[in-house]
Every structure is written in structure tokens, then in C-alpha cells.
Amino acid sequence: MTFNRRAFIGTSAALAATLAAPMVRGQGKPRVVVIGGGAGGATAARYIAKDSKGAIDVTLIEPTRRYYTCFFSNLYLGGFKQMEDLGHSYGGLAAGGVNVVHDWAVGVDRAAKSVSLAGGGSVPYDKLILSPGIDFVEGAVEGWDLSAQNAMPHAYKAGSQTELLKAQLMAMPEGGTFAMVAPPNPYRCPPGPYERVSMVAHFLKANNPTAKIIVADPKPKFSKMGLFQEGWADHYEGMVDWIGEDFGGGNVSVDPGAMTVTIDGEVTKVDVANVIPAMKAGRIAELAGVTDGNWAPVNAADMSTKADADVYVLGDASSQGDMPKSGFSANSQAKVCANAVRGALTGSKIFPAKFSNTCWSLIATNDGVKVGATYEATPEKIAKVDGFISQTGESADLRKATYEESEGWYSGITSDMLG
Amino acid sequence: MRLILQRMLAVVGLIVATASTADEFGDPKAGKKVYRKCSGCHQVGEGARHRVGPHLNGIFGRKAASHEGFKYSKAMVRAGDNGLEWHADTLDSFVENPRALTSGTRMSFPGLRKQKDRLDLIAYLRQFSDDPANIPEADPTASPVDHDLDPAILALEGDPEYGEYLSSECKTCHQSSGGDDGIPSIILWPEEDFVIAMHAYKNKKRPHPVMQMMAGRLNEEEIAALAAYFATLDNE
């Protein structure tokens, strides 16, 4: 991460703000509270603070002091990135005028308009933006619950889980078996399950070439399926056994004690099991009472929830229509939301919503592919307008350029989110 | 070769006979004079070698940035990977305003604004691209695609405030600091270059699927607004 001039000048004051406890400000400035410092929340906080030029009091509540991106975390598994490449501080946000509070938000009182914190105390808001990411649906994979996440990691929140999965991958015996239980739709992506399969295969091909990968998938097909299957055949012939819905891939149970995975009645002893259960909105959205089923329905024009016009939900946790649950999407939605929230609180001009997304995946060294689309807000949902996808059989030069582009995007989005 | 030339001449004759306007295909003799502007950096003809710029023999049908042994700008390599090939229409766009077709090219040449100069130059260069396998027959005679933007579009005055809002969509990939790794910088461009480039994506002349999609849904005012905003964006 690079620090620009203004961020550098502001750092010392900003650090003080980071450490200060949240306080109620009495000057009557409108208050925005953002919960969750990922691609949605960090972007919303930064843009509201930046564009309101101090007219809005912005507080970001995020428990971790260092943010590890889910995007590119598969590349860490493949050996293309180091964990420190994925880590970012919140110093840039603080320098940009956001009051960063490192604590857990444990409750939302929508009547009193305040958020309670695990460390005690509460933070009042005029507008509340929730960007909590995902949690897992209990009982989604028979035999697995969060207490099994060390034996069978999900690695779907980047950081220690990703490191654990990598350590298990490195410790696999020669010719061993890596199993993945893939999630049903809709799922957070990145870290995409199929890019992960590619990166695990890349690692094994170099370090443990007789090892096998089994993927049990409850879906009959998946995003970029043709591109991935072409890539697996080209680079990792015979290594990946993808078992889709048609072959019983959805009929799965696991035994973390015995390290077995049972697919459609067939028990397999495995060396590593990466279990990615069905997902739902991060818990604070449910506690705030803005979810319906697993996700929080929102209005496409401004990302406000159907349940409460003063509570917004961004990114993975929202149910918005056609956009995938990617960091790029969350970043895009955050900008629409920031513009609308600022307009509502200060009377600044509200421009019409525009959304876009592009997802890059790495299949092997310099073999990058991408899929993307643009979207608009309709009364019903965020609706896809136009899209594109990489083609099978593309030249090696184009695939390399696509990978390099994804690295450029990584620099772009992280500085756009965090300053 | 002779046969092909004869066929091409026949095509030329046919078009000239039916077209009421003046010669659209350029005059290689006049083009030789125009080429003097290029010759400081580029060689063409027998024994031509790379100098400051690559030699220009056989350029028609060639993928951009594809000479082994010449060090191109990253931007030109990217353009080639994205599918830019040199034909009459792409050469015309490039020579008119190099930076508008390929931002970040090292070719520091302001461009030939007069269409006749460009046509003449291209007709001249065409003489050194005589490999029939590489040249679709239409190539030397294809008239340039109309990339000349309506002056009314270029004259549009953009609203920088609107541009700032729209720019948030660009900044997911293009860094506002002007950083350039894998994705080019778009800050501090002359507004006209920016507008021409965006319309080239919008009209699918520049080859890049993401940019074609993003530009495709921006209208003229929105492109002008973005140009106005990015033209003045000092590293924030």
C-alpha cells in the first residue's frame, strides 16, 4: 500500500483518532455509523468522509486492526502472494477523517438509533451502514460446525483460516487427497472455490504431483465453468475430480474426527478437507432485524434496507438482485450508497445509481481470466445491463495481460477503499 | 504478387469510378513528404532497422508491439495483447493522435490532424507491406473508419462535479494517485484525448472488453464530465 501526501501529513492526528473511544458529538453534525471494514464498509466510510469534507461525522466499527483481503487470498494458497501482501491497515481511513473504532458491534437499537459495542457503550447514528460480510448457515454440511473449523477449515474469511489451510496443504502426504465441499448459490466470491481448486492444484503439481483433488459440489454448474475446466485439463490433467449435483455432489457429510468425507454414500479418507458451507448475511444484520431469510433485502437505488430507510446493507450480506457477492460489487454499491447518504444528510446532489463488477481468476501461472458486467437500479432490483466473459482458447499473451490487469485492479481497489 | 496488385487496382478503379468525392486512398508520393515527420525515429524500406521507434516494414496486418527485440511501452504491449493490429483504420487513428489510441505510448508525436496527410502517409507506408499473406486485400484501400468525433462532442463542456461522482466507478481499477501497474493511469490527460479515447472504446474501436462495456453505457455528457474531472485531478 502506498501512502499519498495528504495521508502522510494526516497520520499522527489520525492515529490519535483511531485510539480514541467513540464519543457523542454535540455539535449537531449528522452521524453515519458503518459496521464492517471490508470492501463495502471501508469504501462507504471513506467516500462519505472525503466527499462531505467534514460535514458528516463518520465512524467505522471494525474488530480487526489489520484487514486481510479475501480477494487474492487464493493466490496465497497457490504461492503467488505472501500473506503480508494481503494485509492492510486502517490508517489511511483514519487520516481521511474516519473515526475508526476497533470493537465488535453486538446490537442495533433501531428505535433509539444506536449501536452497542462488545467493549461497552454505544454509538448513536442518523444513518447506519451494515457491511458485515457472511456467516455460515448452521447445519448446512452434515457433521460440520464452527467448532470443526480448525480440523476442516473454510478459509472463507482471509487471515488465520487461510494460513491454516495452506499449512495443511503443505503437510499433505505424498499422493494424498485434498477434498473441497463447495457451497450452494449464492456464495461469496472471491475467494472463489474454483480459483481455489486451481491454486491448490498449482501448488500440488509442483510439490506433490501424485496428489488428488476431489470437489463435492451441490450445483450442476458454476461461474466460468468452461474456462476452469479447460484450464484444469490443460495444466493439471487428471488431478481434479469435480463431482457436481448430477453425480451426488450435493449429498455430502463430513467427519472431522475421522477426517472422512462421504459423497453420495461413498466414504473417502482425506488429508485436507476445505469445507465451505452455505452462507448467510453476517450476524449483525440479523440482530438489526433487517434480514429476510438468509440475506437483507435492499432497495437498488441507494442500498437502503426494505425494513428501515435509515439502515443500509452493502455487499455480500445484501439481497439486491443480479450482482455477485464480490468485493468489487461491494465497493461499487458503497459508492452509490455513499452518494445517497450524503445527499440525504447534507442536501448534496444525488446522482443516479450505476453499478459494475469484474471478477478475475487465476488458473495457473500467467493464465488469468475474467468475467464482468454493468448494472442499473430498477424498482425491483439491481439489474444486469451488459456483460462479457473471457473466452476458451485465448492466446497466452492475452491471459497474461488479464492477470497483470488483475494485479493493477488489486492496487486500485485497495487504495480506493482504504485511502 | 502482380496479380494481386492488378486485382487491387481494379478494386480501386471501381471505387473511384463510383465515388463522387476526391481520392480517399491517399497519394504515396505526397505521403513520402509527410513521412519526413516520422523519419527522425522510424526507418522504412530496404535495410530498415529499429531506431528510436521500430522499423515500419510490413506493418499492415501486424499485431501492435510484436517486433522481437524492440522495447515497447507497457501501454503498447497491452494494446497488442488486447488485439490491436495495424490496418489502415487503426493506423489512421493512431497517427491522428497517438495518445488517444494508446495512452502511454512512448511515441511523442502530436499527431497529424489533416486527414489527407494521414491518408497519404498510410498509402506511402503501404508500399512497404507487400506480404500478401498478411494483407487482406481490402486493407490498403479500406477507407478510414470515421473516428473523427463530431466537433460538437469535443466541444461539450463537462461538469467536473458530476465527473467526480462518475469517476468513483473508474477508481476501482484506475488509481487516483496516478499509479500504473497492470492498469494505466488516467489522470491529467488533455480533455480531448480522454474524450476521443472513451468514444473509441464506446464505438468498440479500441479493443478491451471491460472498457468497451464501461464506456458503452456512458453518454456524451458523462464522458465530457469525466474528462473534465480527470484532467484536473492532482494526486489527491
Side-chain angles (χ1 to χ4, degrees), chain A residues 85-251:
Chain A
D85 297 335
L86 309 180
H88 304 270
S89 91
Y90 288 100
L93 280 188
V98 176
N99 182 27
V100 182
V101 176
H102 292 298
D103 201 346
W104 284 95
V106 291
V108 175
D109 183 340
R110 287 201 278 125
K113 291 194 150 192
S114 81
V115 175
S116 50
L117 301 176
S122 63
V123 190
Y125 67 82
D126 295 299
K127 295 283 191 185
L128 174 64
I129 299 173
L130 304 177
S131 192
I134 51 126
D135 275 314
F136 297 113
V137 175
E138 291 89 15
V141 174
E142 193 187 330
W144 192 94
D145 61 26
L146 275 182
S147 70
Q149 71 172 358
N150 288 342
M152 294 187 166
H154 52 79
Y156 240 60
K157 294 175 183 178
S160 57
Q161 272 279 307
T162 324
E163 289 179 310
L164 178 61
L165 185 62
K166 176 76 181 267
Q168 294 180 355
L169 180 63
M170 291 168 75
M172 268 174 71
E174 192 182 330
T177 301
F178 179 102
M180 172 188 282
V181 177
N185 289 322
Y187 57 91
R188 158 182 282 184
C189 180
Y194 310 99
E195 180 185 63
R196 178 172 293 175
V197 167
S198 308
M199 291 295 97
V200 168
H202 175 81
F203 176 86
L204 291 175
K205 187 180 174 182
N207 298 283
N208 191 349
T210 54
K212 293 275 183 251
I213 300 170
I214 307 173
V215 184
D217 202 325
K219 304 182 292 296
K221 58 186 167 78
F222 54 85
S223 175
K224 293 187 253 191
M225 184 163 167
L227 294 166
F228 279 115
Q229 291 190 329
E230 176 192 57
W232 295 344
D234 285 354
H235 300 293
Y236 316 117
E237 196 188 349
M239 186 179 263
V240 181
D241 185 9
W242 179 78
I243 303 168
E245 185 197 31
D246 303 348
F247 298 93
N251 181 16

Side-chain angles (χ1 to χ4, degrees), chain B:
Chain B
M1 184 66 207
R2 180 168 299 161
L3 190 69
I4 288 173
L5 277 174
Q6 282 171 353
R7 275 166 53 199
M8 288 192 307
L9 287 171
V11 173
V12 172
L14 188 69
I15 295 173
V16 169
T18 53
S20 55
T21 52
D23 178 15
E24 286 182 285
F25 308 119
D27 169 7
K29 273 191 199 145
K32 190 172 182 181
K33 284 188 194 142
V34 179
Y35 179 75
R36 286 184 202 147
K37 291 188 163 96
C38 319
S39 61
C41 299
H42 292 278
Q43 293 188 348
V44 72
E46 201 178 331
R49 290 182 300 133
H50 299 322
R51 299 264 309 268
V52 175
H55 76 72
L56 300 175
N57 290 345
I59 191 168
F60 281 78
R62 175 182 276 286
K63 176 180 151 182
S66 61
H67 273 302
E68 298 282 334
F70 184 79
K71 189 156 170 50
Y72 294 93
S73 65
K74 273 195 236 167
M76 190 59 85
V77 171
R78 253 190 317 255
D81 290 342
N82 284 323
L84 180 64
E85 282 186 4
W86 296 122
H87 297 285
D89 56 346
T90 49
L91 280 170
D92 184 74
S93 300
F94 185 65
V95 170
E96 184 190 23
N97 187 345
R99 280 231 310 171
L101 187 72
T102 311
S103 44
T105 177
R106 271 203 292 274
M107 186 160 115
S108 55
F109 178 66
L112 293 171
R113 295 298 148 137
K114 284 188 195 155
Q115 193 187 33
K116 184 174 181 321
D117 286 350
R118 300 196 301 273
L119 289 172
D120 292 346
L121 176 67
I122 289 164
Y124 174 70
L125 290 177
R126 168 66 189 82
Q127 299 181 319
F128 304 98
S129 283
D130 59 355
D131 179 356
N134 285 345
I135 307 169
E137 189 169 307
D139 220 352
T141 52
S143 68
V145 174
D146 182 22
H147 67 279
D148 275 334
L149 280 179
D150 185 342
I153 292 179
L154 283 174
L156 279 176
E157 209 152 306
D159 169 5
E161 194 199 352
Y162 188 30
E164 180 170 11
Y165 168 68
L166 293 169
S167 76
S168 68
E169 204 162 32
C170 316
K171 289 174 186 167
T172 302
C173 298
H174 298 277
Q175 297 175 52
S176 56
S177 64
D180 171 10
D181 44 356
I183 290 183
S185 167
I186 55 170
I187 68 168
L188 299 174
W189 281 34
E191 285 183 51
E192 187 174 303
D193 289 10
F194 194 99
V195 171
I196 291 171
M198 288 298 279
H199 281 275
Y201 283 121
K202 188 176 168 69
N203 300 326
K204 302 201 186 293
K205 188 160 348 131
R206 273 196 184 205
H208 191 277
V210 179
M211 285 309 302
Q212 287 179 354
M213 183 178 76
M214 302 305 292
R217 66 172 182 160
L218 294 169
N219 64 33
E220 291 161 9
E221 285 78 19
E222 288 169 333
I223 288 173
L226 283 168
Y229 170 69
F230 278 115
T232 56
L233 182 64
D234 203 352
N235 294 2
E236 57 172 44

Side-chain angles (χ1 to χ4, degrees), chain A residues 151-391:
Chain A
M152 294 187 166
H154 52 79
Y156 240 60
K157 294 175 183 178
S160 57
Q161 272 279 307
T162 324
E163 289 179 310
L164 178 61
L165 185 62
K166 176 76 181 267
Q168 294 180 355
L169 180 63
M170 291 168 75
M172 268 174 71
E174 192 182 330
T177 301
F178 179 102
M180 172 188 282
V181 177
N185 289 322
Y187 57 91
R188 158 182 282 184
C189 180
Y194 310 99
E195 180 185 63
R196 178 172 293 175
V197 167
S198 308
M199 291 295 97
V200 168
H202 175 81
F203 176 86
L204 291 175
K205 187 180 174 182
N207 298 283
N208 191 349
T210 54
K212 293 275 183 251
I213 300 170
I214 307 173
V215 184
D217 202 325
K219 304 182 292 296
K221 58 186 167 78
F222 54 85
S223 175
K224 293 187 253 191
M225 184 163 167
L227 294 166
F228 279 115
Q229 291 190 329
E230 176 192 57
W232 295 344
D234 285 354
H235 300 293
Y236 316 117
E237 196 188 349
M239 186 179 263
V240 181
D241 185 9
W242 179 78
I243 303 168
E245 185 197 31
D246 303 348
F247 298 93
N251 181 16
V252 173
S253 64
V254 297
D255 183 339
M259 281 305 286
T260 58
V261 174
T262 305
I263 304 169
D264 209 24
E266 189 179 328
V267 182
T268 306
K269 178 93 177 76
V270 301
D271 300 293
V272 180
N274 175 207
V275 177
I276 311 170
M279 297 163 207
K280 61 178 184 177
R283 182 153 167 73
I284 192 69
E286 198 178 326
L287 292 173
V290 295
T291 52
D292 180 6
N294 287 336
W295 310 103
V298 295
N299 299 300
D302 61 359
M303 302 303 290
S304 64
T305 54
K306 305 272 188 189
D308 186 331
D310 290 325
V311 179
Y312 302 74
V313 174
L314 303 177
D316 299 352
S318 67
S319 165
Q320 33 70 20
D322 295 347
M323 295 185 82
K325 295 188 183 299
S326 68
F328 197 126
S329 293
N331 170 268
S332 173
Q333 293 159 10
K335 291 164 185 173
V336 169
C337 176
N339 181 252
V341 164
R342 196 161 59 88
L345 294 177
T346 67
S348 66
K349 196 167 171 188
I350 300 178
F351 296 106
K354 276 184 192 237
F355 305 92
S356 57
N357 177 64
T358 299
C359 288
W360 289 266
S361 302
L362 187 62
I363 297 176
T365 306
N366 285 328
D367 191 358
V369 293
K370 61 187 170 185
V371 58
T374 55
Y375 306 85
E376 64 184 4
T378 69
E380 294 77 36
K381 63 171 185 174
I382 297 181
K384 182 174 168 179
V385 178
D386 188 15
F388 69 88
I389 183 165
S390 294
Q391 302 298 308

